[in-house]
Amino acid sequence: MENENIGQHSSSCSQESSEQKHCWVCFGTDEDEYETNRDWVSPCKCRGSTRWVHQSCVQRWVDEKLKENLSIKAHCPQCHTQYIIVYDEVNCLVRILNKLDKTANQLCPFLAAGVVVSTLYWSAASYGAITMMQVMGEREAITMMENTDSYMLLLVLPSIPLSLILCKTINWEETLLLFVQRYTSHIPLLRTIMPSFLCEPINSSANTVQFNSVVNPTTTLCAALLLPTTATVVGNLLFNNSSYSYLQKTILGGLVYITVKGVFRIYQRQHNVIKEKTRKVIDYPETDSEESN
């Protein structure tokens, strides 16, 4: 039995040594004249002449793969066997430095995420403090923050911009417009104020007009964060000579601003809906040259 195994092994070795080698990268063979000084390697489970590849060619192929992604493992494109790659040993100092670099690369994403989250948190807290001083007045806001527990402030102040952004996402104007459209014909007052809702569409397919529900994130963010400043300015302009407190002026100014802005937005959307209802396709205007042809 052992003699048979030895015979099979010797025959396979002789067959491998006698078969022609083909490099699957550069398609060169061992019979080419310039191949005498080039090393051959069989790095995978492929069989036949294509199992061979030049050491320089496979090195170049591995380099191209590692350029795409350093974390991938190089493998044969045919049989998908992972290549066994070895390196010469380096000294202890280089090994330590390499280990430190690898650890730093693993920790840096978490540190960067922590820095970003901390920056956003303290930016939101600063915005919340400034908003309170705008809305309530500087003295009243500082006095209230001094008398409030510090842990409570750390929770309340960052929640102010978040609450403004969440409130801004509520599309009450569209809901009110749909209500007005539905009940205009039944309520005389609405029929007098907004008679344009009663017009019949030219094209029957446009009876139901879809509103543009796409929300612009930058517009929503800016409008939400600028709301306290706008409310303060409007309140001081309209109620400057009144006996209301600073907070009451700001609240009234915000209500006036939101109401007026909502009315104009509803008016704009109403006429855009009517414009869509008048949509029609017209005949193509033919020129004199086209008529002659």
Side-chain angles (χ1 to χ4, degrees), residues 17-279:
S17 60
S18 61
E19 70 180 5
Q20 189 180 31
K21 299 176 181 178
H22 292 266
C23 177
W24 56 265
V25 177
C26 69
F27 302 105
T29 64
D30 56 349
E31 294 181 353
D32 297 334
E33 295 180 356
Y34 59 89
E35 298 289 338
T36 54
N37 295 325
R38 302 185 69 179
D39 294 333
W40 292 84
V41 62
S42 176
C44 62
K45 296 178 181 179
C46 292
R47 290 294 177 262
S49 59
T50 57
R51 65 181 292 187
W52 299 100
V53 64
H54 293 119
Q55 182 70 244
S56 58
C57 292
V58 74
Q59 290 282 4
R60 187 170 64 253
W61 187 84
V62 170
D63 290 338
E64 292 296 329
K65 290 300 178 181
L66 293 180
K67 284 180 182 179
E68 299 174 2
N69 188 355
L70 291 176
S71 62
I72 66 172
K73 301 296 184 180
H75 59 273
C76 175
Q78 281 82 29
C79 66
H80 302 288
T81 302
Q82 182 177 325
Y83 289 159
I84 302 174
I85 301 176
V86 296
Y87 298 90
D88 291 339
E89 289 293 331
V90 295
N91 58 48
C92 182
L93 178 59
V94 175
R95 287 199 300 271
I96 294 174
L97 294 176
N98 291 338
K99 187 66 175 179
L100 291 176
D101 286 342
K102 184 178 179 180
T103 305
N105 291 333
Q106 293 174 347
L107 293 179
C108 281
F110 298 99
L111 295 177
V115 170
V116 171
V117 172
S118 300
T119 303
L120 292 176
Y121 173 83
W122 288 112
S123 298
S126 302
Y127 174 87
I130 295 173
T131 301
M132 288 185 63
M133 288 187 286
Q134 274 187 331
V135 172
M136 301 178 60
E138 185 175 352
R139 291 184 179 179
E140 290 81 359
I142 292 176
T143 302
M144 192 194 74
M145 287 188 287
E146 288 178 349
N147 296 330
T148 305
D149 183 67
S150 58
Y151 294 104
M152 183 63 65
L153 286 178
L154 292 177
L155 293 176
V156 172
L157 293 180
S159 65
I160 292 177
L162 181 61
S163 302
L164 291 173
I165 295 173
L166 291 177
C167 291
K168 182 60 181 176
T169 58
I170 301 175
N171 198 352
W172 64 272
E173 299 164 356
E174 182 175 317
T175 304
L176 182 59
L177 180 58
L178 291 173
F179 173 81
V180 171
Q181 282 186 320
R182 178 174 298 179
Y183 295 102
T184 297
S185 59
H186 304 289
I187 302 176
L189 180 61
L190 291 179
R191 190 166 58 249
T192 304
I193 297 175
M194 299 182 180
S196 54
F197 275 128
L198 301 177
C199 70
E200 293 295 330
I202 293 178
N203 54 326
S204 58
S205 63
N207 276 323
T208 303
V209 178
Q210 297 295 329
F211 293 101
N212 184 15
S213 59
V214 178
V215 179
N216 191 330
T218 56
T219 304
T220 302
L221 179 65
C222 293
L225 297 182
L226 290 175
L227 179 61
T229 303
T230 307
T232 302
V233 172
V234 174
N236 289 333
L237 289 176
L238 298 180
F239 308 101
N240 189 31
N241 297 326
S242 65
S243 60
Y244 295 129
S245 65
Y246 208 94
L247 178 60
Q248 291 173 336
K249 292 179 183 179
T250 303
I251 294 175
L252 291 175
L255 292 176
V256 170
Y257 168 74
I258 292 174
T259 303
V260 173
K261 178 176 174 291
V263 169
F264 280 106
R265 290 288 292 173
I266 291 175
Y267 180 82
Q268 176 192 9
R269 291 194 179 191
Q270 167 201 356
H271 285 275
N272 285 334
V273 169
I274 296 172
K275 174 186 174 183
E276 291 294 328
K277 287 185 177 183
T278 60
R279 182 186 64 199

